[in-house]
Amino acid sequence: MTSGEHHHFGPEPGPWHAPGGSPVPPAAPPAVGPPPPGAALRSLAVGLLNLSGLGLGYALMGRWYRAALCWAATGGLLLAALPAEPDGVPAGIVVSFLVVLVLTAADGAWTARRSAVGGSWRPLVAAALGLVLLGVPAGGAVVYGSERDEAVQQMLLDRLEKGDRAVAAAAKQSSFAGGRVKYRTALDIYRELGEDHSGSRAGKLVPSRLKAYYKAVSAPYEAKDHCQAVEPLTHLRTVPDSVDAKLLGSLAAWPDEPLAESLYGCGVSKIGDGSDTNDASDGGELGELLRTLPDSAQAKQVGPAVTGKMDEQVKAVRGGEPCAATEVLRRIGATVAAMPDRTVAALSAKADDGVQDGVYACGVDEFKDKKFTEARETLSGFADTYKKDGRRQHARDIVIAAEIAEDRPSAGKRLPPRQGPGGPRMELVLSNDAPNAVEILYTGPVSGSVELKGCGSCKRYSASDGPKLACRASGKRYPKVTLRLPAGEYHFLYKHGTGASADVDSYASGSRVQSGYTYTSCTYVTTESDAAPGLDLPSIPDAIKPASTG
């Protein structure tokens, strides 16, 4: 005999009436034949009760195993759904649970056609209760939706807090470059919250967070550190490219004025100082100001500021450090020439004039400071560059004196005069009895240089024969040149050429030219390294006979 089935012997008894006349349903439907009366209402009641997900339809019929399955399905759903997460319950779980509800409702309705509702529950009451209990899953869905919305709100607030932490961490860096990544992260968070979740609690806080963001990024400007402020303010000026201008409000245009002020302040403070960021190829910060914010009040101040800086250095050229002032002027001129504003760029001509005066003053100063090699290089460059300058000849005289002074420091005691003295001049005849050419530099009351060609038929002498035989061969024509020199103390440098006598050392000497005399000098080469040519001037006056060679 199976559970739920009853076997009767004899005639089928009729319905039993409880006291009061109400019929009592049988304990179980008949095994065969049409469903007992009230089957449709029972099916409806059990089906509705099972749709609540609580398995109450099975419980009323005494089907506890099936009721337990309903409870397990509902418990599994609750475990998966609670606590509520922003992403909600996975769709697969929801669909599976709905399928279970539908199946249990259908199964319960079919089973209830031939099963009685247990206890004192009547089908009509059970059906009404089923309708009421349908509100359980619906209400649960509403409550869960509310919890899920709160979870989403909390998630967005957590993201907002993450952006705030990123800004705080970036603000602690010593430079904007060090905090750039964190600033970028925070801005991306604020943009997403403000644009994609504007109605959320976090989204409504974004405008105040953006103000704090701008304040943190522009901190160097607030501290009046203009050079450090340029990069972060430039970044802020690009924020409207990635964030909705409506979200930024007045912040969108705010960086223009601070950036113009910082570019101007930094550019003026650095112009001419040789800073790596003050790149002459683009005009540095001042060039950036003229390109980026040409209509700003600060852009209109660039020309006067540059002129003032130039005037300072032009004045400094005439001071105690002309070389340093010249370098500053040179850098200012290169920077100004790269300015995008033609009026400002034209000011580089003034810097060029200052550099021209500065190079000359620098060479003179180096000579006075006994920096003879540097003076030679500086003034040689001046003479080669500024060929129409009236000081070119004097610069070349100083170059000659400096070169002699490198070997003979006494030649650098004083600058060569800009003009030679008046009065009589004495002849000095220079002859070359050496197989190589020789250049002779001289400085004194006048400075200059001459070059004597090599004597092709001449040879080297021994140290003892040189003074006796040089320039004395009868009938030989020696290369020679005549100088006319005013009286005074002179310094000479004999520079031998290359080729046959490339190993001959240069030689410096000094002599005094007196009024009323004629002088001769012969240069020759000896085989001994300690013997050198020179100028042999007599100590006893002899206005007719030339001085002896030496």
Side-chain angles (χ1 to χ4, degrees):
M1 181 180 298
T2 61
S3 175
E5 296 181 356
H6 301 271
H7 292 267
H8 302 276
F9 298 92
E12 183 76 12
W16 178 78
H17 292 271
S22 298
V24 176
V32 295
L41 188 57
R42 287 195 305 274
S43 295
L44 176 63
V46 171
L48 290 174
L49 287 171
N50 279 357
L51 277 178
S52 68
L54 302 176
L56 294 179
Y58 286 137
L60 289 179
M61 292 187 299
R63 304 298 199 268
W64 300 107
Y65 175 73
R66 297 183 186 182
L69 291 178
C70 290
W71 298 337
T74 301
L77 176 66
L78 293 177
L79 287 176
L82 299 177
E85 297 291 339
D87 294 335
V89 184
I93 294 178
V94 175
V95 171
S96 298
F97 181 73
L98 292 176
V99 169
V100 169
L101 284 183
V102 172
L103 290 176
T104 57
D107 178 67
W110 177 259
T111 304
R113 287 170 58 84
R114 296 181 179 278
S115 300
V117 176
S120 61
W121 291 94
R122 300 190 180 195
L124 183 60
V125 175
L129 179 63
L131 285 174
V132 173
L133 290 180
L134 283 179
V136 172
V142 171
V143 172
Y144 179 77
S146 176
E147 291 298 320
R148 181 189 174 190
D149 290 343
E150 180 59 28
V152 170
Q153 292 286 347
Q154 193 57 52
M155 178 195 69
L156 296 178
L157 288 172
D158 290 342
R159 294 199 65 188
L160 182 69
E161 184 179 354
K162 179 181 178 182
D164 297 343
R165 290 196 301 270
V167 171
K172 294 179 181 179
Q173 300 297 317
S174 59
S175 66
F176 174 76
R180 183 192 300 274
V181 174
K182 293 186 181 297
Y183 277 131
R184 187 76 255 177
T185 297
L187 187 62
D188 289 343
I189 291 174
Y190 294 154
R191 180 201 57 75
E192 181 183 2
L193 293 175
E195 295 181 5
D196 300 340
H197 306 281
S198 59
S200 66
R201 295 202 299 268
K204 293 176 181 178
L205 294 174
V206 167
S208 64
R209 293 305 198 275
L210 285 173
K211 290 181 181 179
Y213 178 88
Y214 270 61
K215 183 176 181 180
V217 174
S218 62
Y221 169 73
E222 297 297 333
K224 299 304 177 184
D225 188 348
H226 290 134
C227 290
Q228 287 293 325
V230 168
E231 187 176 7
L233 289 173
T234 300
H235 160 73
L236 289 180
R237 198 166 180 268
T238 66
V239 169
D241 295 338
S242 58
V243 178
D244 190 347
K246 294 181 180 179
L247 187 62
L248 293 171
S250 61
L251 293 175
W254 178 81
D256 286 0
E257 177 65 22
L259 179 58
E261 182 180 339
S262 297
L263 285 171
Y264 177 80
C266 182
V268 170
S269 70
K270 289 167 56 177
I271 188 169
D273 69 355
S275 300
D276 291 339
T277 55
N278 191 21
D279 189 354
S281 65
D282 62 3
E285 286 78 9
L286 295 179
E288 182 65 20
L289 171 61
L290 293 173
R291 280 189 297 273
T292 307
L293 300 162
D295 297 326
S296 64
Q298 290 80 6
K300 294 177 174 59
Q301 298 173 15
V302 171
V306 168
T307 300
K309 284 286 186 178
M310 288 182 182
D311 291 341
E312 289 177 7
Q313 298 309 312
V314 168
K315 183 178 180 180
V317 162
R318 299 189 291 269
E321 297 293 336
C323 296
T326 300
E327 284 305 307
V328 173
L329 266 176
R330 183 176 281 114
R331 288 193 292 266
I332 291 176
T335 301
V336 172
M339 298 284 186
D341 187 296
R342 292 184 179 180
T343 303
V344 177
L347 296 174
S348 62
K350 179 173 183 166
D352 293 342
D353 292 341
V355 168
Q356 183 171 342
D357 293 338
V359 172
Y360 179 80
C362 176
V364 170
D365 188 66
E366 288 171 336
F367 186 91
K368 291 179 178 179
D369 290 341
K370 313 303 179 187
K371 299 177 181 178
F372 300 122
T373 300
E374 291 86 343
R376 280 182 58 197
E377 294 175 355
T378 301
L379 291 174
S380 292
F382 176 85
D384 293 341
T385 303
Y386 307 109
K387 293 181 170 59
K388 296 182 179 180
D389 193 292
R391 298 163 293 187
R392 183 172 183 246
Q393 185 55 53
H394 189 226
R396 299 179 72 174
D397 290 346
I398 299 175
V399 169
I400 290 172
E403 186 171 359
I404 298 172
E406 288 182 64
D407 287 333
R408 185 176 174 82
S410 58
K413 287 183 178 180
R414 61 183 61 87
L415 283 169
R418 296 197 63 168
Q419 292 183 345
R425 296 198 173 204
M426 277 53 71
E427 283 190 359
L428 169 60
V429 180
L430 300 169
S431 301
N432 186 23
D433 190 356
N436 62 288
V438 60
E439 183 182 10
I440 303 172
L441 309 182
Y442 60 93
T443 186
V446 294
S447 301
S449 66
V450 292
E451 185 172 350
L452 291 173
K453 296 180 180 179
C455 177
S457 59
C458 297
K459 61 181 181 180
R460 299 188 181 195
Y461 294 96
S462 65
S464 58
D465 289 342
K468 297 182 295 183
L469 302 178
C471 295
R472 297 178 184 271
S474 177
K476 180 178 289 189
R477 298 177 63 87
Y478 299 101
K480 63 179 59 181
V481 66
T482 300
L483 301 179
R484 297 182 59 82
L485 304 176
E489 192 76 23
Y490 286 86
H491 304 272
F492 294 85
L493 176 65
Y494 298 83
K495 296 173 60 178
H496 291 272
T498 58
S501 58
D503 58 343
V504 178
D505 294 332
S506 296
Y507 173 72
S509 66
S511 299
R512 183 172 184 80
V513 173
Q514 298 184 27
S515 179
Y517 294 86
T518 300
Y519 299 92
T520 63
S521 175
C522 176
T523 178
Y524 56 92
V525 179
T526 65
T527 56
E528 296 180 10
S529 61
D530 59 346
L535 180 65
D536 186 11
L537 302 179
S539 58
I540 301 176
D542 185 352
I544 301 175
K545 185 179 179 181
S548 60
T549 59

